[in-house]
Amino acid sequence: SHFASRHSCSSRSRCLSPVGPSQAMKRICDDKLPPLPECLGRGTSSGVSQALPGAAVDCETVSEVHNIWGFDLIHVFKAPLPTLGVKEPLHQIVVLRIDSIDREADDGDEPESFLQLEYIPYGGLRWQRTCIANSGGSKVQLVSCIRCTGVYGYRVADVMDDWREKADHYMNGVEFAAEIAKACNAESDFEEHFKEARVEVKAWHDDYLEKERARKAAMASTVAASALLLCTVQ
């Protein structure tokens, strides 16, 4: 049955075992976000990183999602990422509509609730509950919305559990979104999108590295010229 399927996998999640107060406090400390690398903080006002969306995913979050009955829609959005100074819509956001066993297909009276998930490179895995699919405004672009069935909460929770302590990498945002789509049986629907997204993110990263190399070379040249001038004056 659906109920048995939902609860038969409770042992799969590392986050579902009870913890004592000291362990819980340690987890809270462990889940604090590391500071953004200095080089990736450029482009924000006054050199201060903008606030990250939602909240960091911890064990309590994973357990909460594990207990959700299921999801019936998956939205994939792309957006800029001001926290990294990215103006192009390269950041991937996945929004899942929480299924209601009481909602009929065309029932417009049943209130909607959504789970928004995103992996921010050098910012970690973030989540939030919303009452609308797009909570980011006009800069957030919808890639596609796909209806899904048989997507129980534990399937998404398992992916979140695997990713909440991943080592930082500039491609994590795309790869996490792709794995959520796979958990929702929508891998083929978004295959081309994520393939293009990987190419675009790599191009952005390569361009960033090239600009950094040019900046450091210019600084070294300036220092060398200043030293030569100083020696000439002396």
Side-chain angles (χ1 to χ4, degrees):
S1 67
H2 291 339
F3 185 85
S5 298
R6 233 182 107 204
H7 291 272
S8 62
C9 292
S10 60
S11 61
R12 292 170 58 193
S13 176
R14 298 189 299 275
C15 285
L16 297 180
S17 57
V19 296
S22 60
Q23 291 172 293
M25 181 58 70
K26 180 180 184 299
R27 236 176 229 143
I28 291 172
C29 295
D30 289 344
D31 285 333
K32 287 182 179 177
L33 290 175
L36 287 172
E38 188 275 332
C39 61
L40 293 177
R42 297 193 189 98
T44 57
S45 58
S46 304
V48 179
S49 300
Q50 298 184 18
L52 297 176
V57 170
D58 56 16
C59 276
E60 185 177 349
T61 309
V62 173
S63 296
E64 182 178 335
V65 174
H66 190 279
N67 291 327
I68 291 176
W69 167 255
F71 305 96
D72 61 2
L73 286 178
I74 174 173
H75 304 75
V76 172
F77 296 92
K78 58 182 182 178
L81 193 54
T83 52
L84 295 186
V86 180
K87 297 180 180 179
E88 300 86 354
L90 302 179
H91 177 51
Q92 307 294 309
I93 303 171
V94 179
V95 180
L96 308 175
R97 187 172 73 172
I98 297 173
D99 192 12
S100 169
I101 57 176
D102 299 321
R103 182 193 296 125
E104 298 295 335
D106 299 320
D107 185 1
D109 296 329
E110 179 72 19
E112 294 184 318
S113 181
F114 298 87
L115 175 69
Q116 178 173 317
L117 300 170
E118 54 195 304
Y119 193 105
I120 299 178
Y122 310 103
L125 186 57
R126 311 290 295 182
W127 80 291
Q128 57 183 306
R129 293 282 288 268
T130 67
C131 59
I132 57 175
N134 182 1
S135 62
S138 59
K139 292 184 178 181
V140 177
Q141 303 174 19
L142 175 65
V143 174
S144 187
C145 173
I146 303 295
R147 181 170 292 279
C148 47
T149 57
V151 181
Y152 302 108
Y154 74 81
R155 291 174 62 94
V156 174
D158 285 346
V159 177
M160 295 168 65
D161 198 16
D162 289 340
W163 275 82
R164 71 185 192 89
E165 295 181 348
K166 284 273 188 181
D168 284 326
H169 191 274
Y170 70 90
M171 196 65 76
N172 278 4
V174 177
E175 299 302 341
F176 170 74
E179 286 205 22
I180 290 292
K182 182 178 180 180
C184 294
N185 303 316
E187 182 178 17
S188 60
D189 296 286
F190 292 101
E191 184 177 4
E192 286 303 314
H193 164 68
F194 288 126
K195 185 183 295 184
E196 293 175 6
R198 291 183 183 99
V199 172
E200 292 172 349
V201 171
K202 186 178 186 305
W204 169 83
H205 186 256
D206 290 346
D207 181 63
Y208 165 78
L209 293 179
E210 185 60 35
K211 288 178 179 178
E212 278 296 288
R213 282 191 287 266
R215 183 182 67 84
K216 291 178 180 179
M219 288 179 60
S221 177
T222 301
V223 170
S226 298
L228 179 61
L229 178 61
L230 181 60
C231 291
T232 302
V233 171
Q234 290 179 344

